[in-house]
């Protein structure tokens, strides 16, 4: 059984708007965006648009869907768009493997 205090603490951390961390992200579907299958939540349309222009600036550490390794994407990492948002990769070779069979590697998080 999960300790409720622990769960609330971590849930609260996950709900901060990544562009404006002073604000809580919304649970409203129109204020959510996916990067590498992970859900990011925003307090306003303004911060969502800002995030969407340069997600690598705001998303922090992501997991390469092919290798499973966590990394910080550079300004121009290998990228592919798949249902719901962009996926960033450690290398062109992992991007190529993903593009060949995206359903095998896609990460699905419920919003």
């Amino acid at each position: 059984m999960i300790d409720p205090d622990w769960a609330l603490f971590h849930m609260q951390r996950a709900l901060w708007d990544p562009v404006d961390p002073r604000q809580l992200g919304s649970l409203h579907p129109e204020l959510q965006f996916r990067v590498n299958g992970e859900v990011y939540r925003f307090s306003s349309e303004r911060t969502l648009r800002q995030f969407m222009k340069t997600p690598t600036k705001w998303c922090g550490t992501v997991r390469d869907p092919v290798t499973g390794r966590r990394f910080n994407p550079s300004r121009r990492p290998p990228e592919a768009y798949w249902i719901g948002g962009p996926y960033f990769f450690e290398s062109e070779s992992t991007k190529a493997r993903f593009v060949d069979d995206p359903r095998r590697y896609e990460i699905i998080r419920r919003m």
Side-chain angles (χ1 to χ4, degrees):
M1 175 148 214
I2 296 175
D3 176 41
D5 290 332
W6 181 88
L8 284 172
F9 172 76
H10 288 284
M11 232 173 108
Q12 185 180 37
R13 286 184 54 211
L15 293 177
W16 294 114
D17 183 321
V19 176
D20 185 358
R22 296 168 298 164
Q23 301 294 320
L24 280 176
S26 173
L27 294 176
H28 203 272
E30 284 81 23
L31 292 175
Q32 298 175 5
F33 189 70
R34 292 178 184 270
V35 173
N36 284 43
E38 298 293 336
V39 179
Y40 292 80
R41 302 176 195 312
F42 302 90
S43 59
S44 68
E45 288 181 24
R46 180 189 61 79
T47 60
L48 170 61
R49 283 192 307 271
Q50 195 171 350
F51 183 92
M52 290 173 71
K53 285 181 188 174
T54 54
T56 57
K57 179 177 179 180
W58 309 104
C59 68
T61 303
V62 297
R63 184 178 306 274
D64 186 303
V66 175
T67 65
R69 288 191 295 264
R70 296 183 77 64
F71 71 102
N72 289 319
S74 63
R75 288 276 184 213
R76 299 248 183 235
E79 176 182 357
Y81 193 89
W82 180 246
I83 301 171
Y87 278 80
F88 297 106
F89 304 89
E90 289 182 291
S91 66
E92 287 292 338
S93 63
T94 59
K95 174 188 173 184
R97 286 173 56 193
F98 181 88
V99 170
D100 285 344
D101 189 5
R103 290 208 185 279
R104 177 177 178 189
Y105 299 109
E106 72 181 325
I107 300 168
I108 300 173
R109 299 280 188 263
R110 301 291 174 229
M111 299 231 238

